[in-house]
Amino acid sequence: MDKENDASWTFFFEKLKSIVEDEPDQYVIYAWYISITNAFSRVYSHAHHGLYMRNLIENLRVNQYCGEYLYLFYAAAKAYTIDELSKHFTELKNNCPEAAHVLENVFGFEK
């Protein structure tokens, strides 16, 4: 299967849906490839989905050049309260605005 092909991933998720139903209490974590995101969202409209944190952090390190501030992303991702998350994310945004922009606008980060 071509991992970058929307049709292939849509086919895969449609077959998977025959044994794993689309339920609002499900949450699926996967590596970030735009084709996976597109296909999953198209086939599983009720299930929640997210990105594997390690893949996301690698994307930010390589593409946004924010390696020295990624500890702030980890701290925000592991925060137990909204206030704690906001504090770490604001600090990340102040030190690496490119990464914050990508998280908010490309990956659909929601506070």
Side-chain angles (χ1 to χ4, degrees):
M1 178 185 311
D2 177 6
K3 67 183 177 186
E4 297 299 323
N5 185 309
D6 283 5
S8 296
W9 280 108
T10 299
F11 175 81
F12 171 78
F13 285 124
E14 286 171 346
K15 295 301 177 192
L16 183 64
K17 192 173 178 181
S18 70
I19 56 172
V20 179
E21 294 182 25
D22 183 13
E23 299 289 335
D25 60 348
Q26 291 174 335
Y27 202 93
V28 176
I29 304 292
Y30 51 80
W32 185 75
Y33 295 106
I34 195 68
S35 293
I36 295 175
T37 303
N38 291 342
F40 187 86
S41 298
R42 193 175 304 118
V43 176
Y44 282 89
S45 59
H46 298 293
H48 302 279
H49 59 98
L51 302 172
Y52 182 50
M53 188 168 59
R54 186 170 181 128
N55 285 47
L56 181 54
I57 205 81
E58 184 65 14
N59 180 288
L60 293 175
R61 185 185 68 75
V62 170
N63 297 320
Q64 308 326 304
Y65 310 107
C66 293
E68 65 188 280
Y69 299 109
L70 292 180
Y71 72 94
L72 295 168
F73 171 79
Y74 275 114
K78 295 180 178 205
Y80 286 100
T81 67
I82 298 294
D83 289 340
E84 186 182 3
L85 175 124
S86 294
K87 175 187 162 211
H88 294 301
F89 190 76
T90 299
E91 195 172 345
L92 175 66
K93 195 176 204 174
N94 290 338
N95 288 291
C96 193
E98 303 85 6
H101 173 78
V102 167
L103 289 168
E104 292 176 317
N105 299 296
V106 177
F107 290 114
F109 171 77
E110 295 176 19
K111 293 183 182 180

